[in-house]
């Protein structure tokens, strides 16, 4: 069993910062990549950022220069530092991970339960 547990969401004003965390736990052999997606009201879920096992990162254009993903590999934790938040960043943020479990040979994709981020103008 694998669990992804997010924390750190909340309500902030435009221009402020938040940091999200996501911890993966369970029978994990390796994590290929971890990242964050978000779903804004009335919109489809979109990629925010990912970080691979090799440390490569990718960001959505809308968050480049404002958001930063980092990881603690030893703890299977990733962080999303969100600066200069805008009202359009309001969404439910979901942690995502591609994980190979004990006894398996292919990665599977796992999702967290989501954490609400609300940015007021």
């Amino acid at each position: 069993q694998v669990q992804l547990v997010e924390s750190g969401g909340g309500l902030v004003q435009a221009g402020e910062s938040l940091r999200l965390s996501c911890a993966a736990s369970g029978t994990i052999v390796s994590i290929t990549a971890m990242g964050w997606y978000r779903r804004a009201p009335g919109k489809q879920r979109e990629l925010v950022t990912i970080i691979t096992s090799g440390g490569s990162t990718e960001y959505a254009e809308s968050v480049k220069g404002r958001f930063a993903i980092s990881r603690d590999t030893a703890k299977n934790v990733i962080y999303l530092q969100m600066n200069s938040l805008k009202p359009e960043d309001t969404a439910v943020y979901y942690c995502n991970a591609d994980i190979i479990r004990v006894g398996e040979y292919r990665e599977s994709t796992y999702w967290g339960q989501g954490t609400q981020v609300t940015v007021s103008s």
Side-chain angles (χ1 to χ4, degrees), residues 78-115:
I78 59 169
Y79 305 94
L80 179 62
Q81 179 66 43
M82 303 184 293
N83 299 324
S84 302
L85 282 161
K86 304 175 181 180
E88 50 264 43
D89 294 318
T90 295
V92 178
Y93 285 70
Y94 296 92
C95 180
N96 165 280
D98 295 326
I99 293 172
I100 299 176
R101 293 174 52 191
V102 172
E104 296 181 352
Y105 299 93
R106 293 185 302 174
E107 64 186 28
S108 298
T109 299
Y110 297 87
W111 293 91
Q113 79 285 357
T115 185

Side-chain angles (χ1 to χ4, degrees), residues 12-17 84-87 118-121:
V12 296
Q13 292 188 330
E16 294 184 338
S17 300
S84 302
L85 282 161
K86 304 175 181 180
T118 302
V119 185
S120 64
S121 57

Side-chain angles (χ1 to χ4, degrees), residues 7-8 18 25 53 68 78 93-94:
S7 61
L18 273 177
S25 62
S53 58
I78 59 169
Y93 285 70
Y94 296 92

Side-chain angles (χ1 to χ4, degrees), residues 3-51:
Q3 281 190 317
L4 300 181
V5 179
E6 302 119 331
S7 61
L11 171 63
V12 296
Q13 292 188 330
E16 294 184 338
S17 300
L18 273 177
R19 190 174 84 150
L20 306 182
S21 301
C22 173
S25 62
T27 53
I28 296 170
V29 173
S30 64
I31 300 177
T32 305
M34 291 185 75
W36 294 93
Y37 287 70
R38 67 185 181 186
R39 177 175 284 155
K43 295 186 178 181
Q44 292 188 330
R45 186 165 56 191
E46 63 173 357
L47 172 69
V48 177
T49 180
I50 60 171
I51 184 167

